[in-house]
């Protein structure tokens, strides 16, 4: 069963990406969630291959993407250009944005409301 909306977490730290995934999964058991973090050799940073895989393996056709720092965002933006999936990217704190979105997706909140809520927490 393909899930319409999902979440991808991208971090410079594999541990952070995994931990955010674990936290949001507690409130969103039915939401497709994937994550990627760290470099290919296990260090702090990002890996385009890992980021790409996180999006490819997510069962959803429409994905909310959350990230921690600049190069993680750049990887997401590159995926946005080449992916067939719709990727929704908001500049919000990674945990708060992902958690609020996951909870709202779990309760079948409208996408318009979710997007409006994310726009209100954008960091300027």
């Amino acid at each position: 069963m393909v899930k319409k909306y999902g979440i991808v977490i991208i971090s410079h730290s594999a541990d952070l990406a995994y931990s955010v995934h674990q936290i949001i999964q507690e409130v969103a058991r039915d939401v497709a969630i994937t994550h990627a973090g760290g470099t290919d050799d296990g260090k702090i940073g990002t890996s385009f291959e890992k980021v790409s895989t996180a999006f490819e393996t997510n069962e959803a056709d429409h994905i909310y993407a959350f990230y921690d720092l600049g190069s993680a965002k750049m990887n997401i933006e590159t995926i946005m250009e080449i992916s067939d999936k719709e990727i929704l990217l908001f500049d919000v704190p990674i945990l708060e944005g992902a958690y609020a979105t996951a909870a709202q997706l779990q309760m079948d909140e409208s996408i318009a409301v979710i997007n409006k809520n994310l726009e209100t927490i954008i960091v300027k």
Side-chain angles (χ1 to χ4, degrees), residues 45-60:
T46 57
S47 158
F48 182 78
E49 184 65 33
K50 285 183 172 186
V51 172
S52 180
T53 299
F55 282 97
E56 289 173 16
T57 59
N58 192 294
E59 299 172 352

Side-chain angles (χ1 to χ4, degrees), residues 64-116:
Y64 283 94
F66 299 95
Y67 67 94
D68 59 0
L69 298 169
S71 64
K73 181 180 182 182
M74 289 172 26
N75 280 312
I76 294 168
E77 290 171 337
T78 301
I79 297 296
M80 290 171 78
E81 294 176 12
I82 61 174
S83 179
D84 292 334
K85 298 182 180 194
E86 177 189 24
I87 299 170
L88 302 136
L89 181 61
F90 292 85
D91 294 324
V92 297
I94 188 171
L95 178 57
E96 292 85 344
Y99 188 89
T101 301
Q104 291 173 91
L105 287 173
Q106 180 67 34
M107 62 185 217
D108 292 324
E109 183 61 81
S110 78
I111 298 308
V113 169
I114 294 171
N115 291 350
K116 184 173 173 71

Side-chain angles (χ1 to χ4, degrees), residues 19-70:
S19 296
V20 172
H21 183 154
Q22 284 186 301
I23 290 169
I24 66 175
Q25 195 167 34
E26 287 298 310
V27 297
R29 296 247 182 235
D30 300 324
V31 176
I33 305 167
T34 52
H35 68 275
T39 62
D40 292 331
D41 60 356
K43 295 183 180 173
I44 296 295
T46 57
S47 158
F48 182 78
E49 184 65 33
K50 285 183 172 186
V51 172
S52 180
T53 299
F55 282 97
E56 289 173 16
T57 59
N58 192 294
E59 299 172 352
D61 296 321
H62 310 277
I63 300 173
Y64 283 94
F66 299 95
Y67 67 94
D68 59 0
L69 298 169

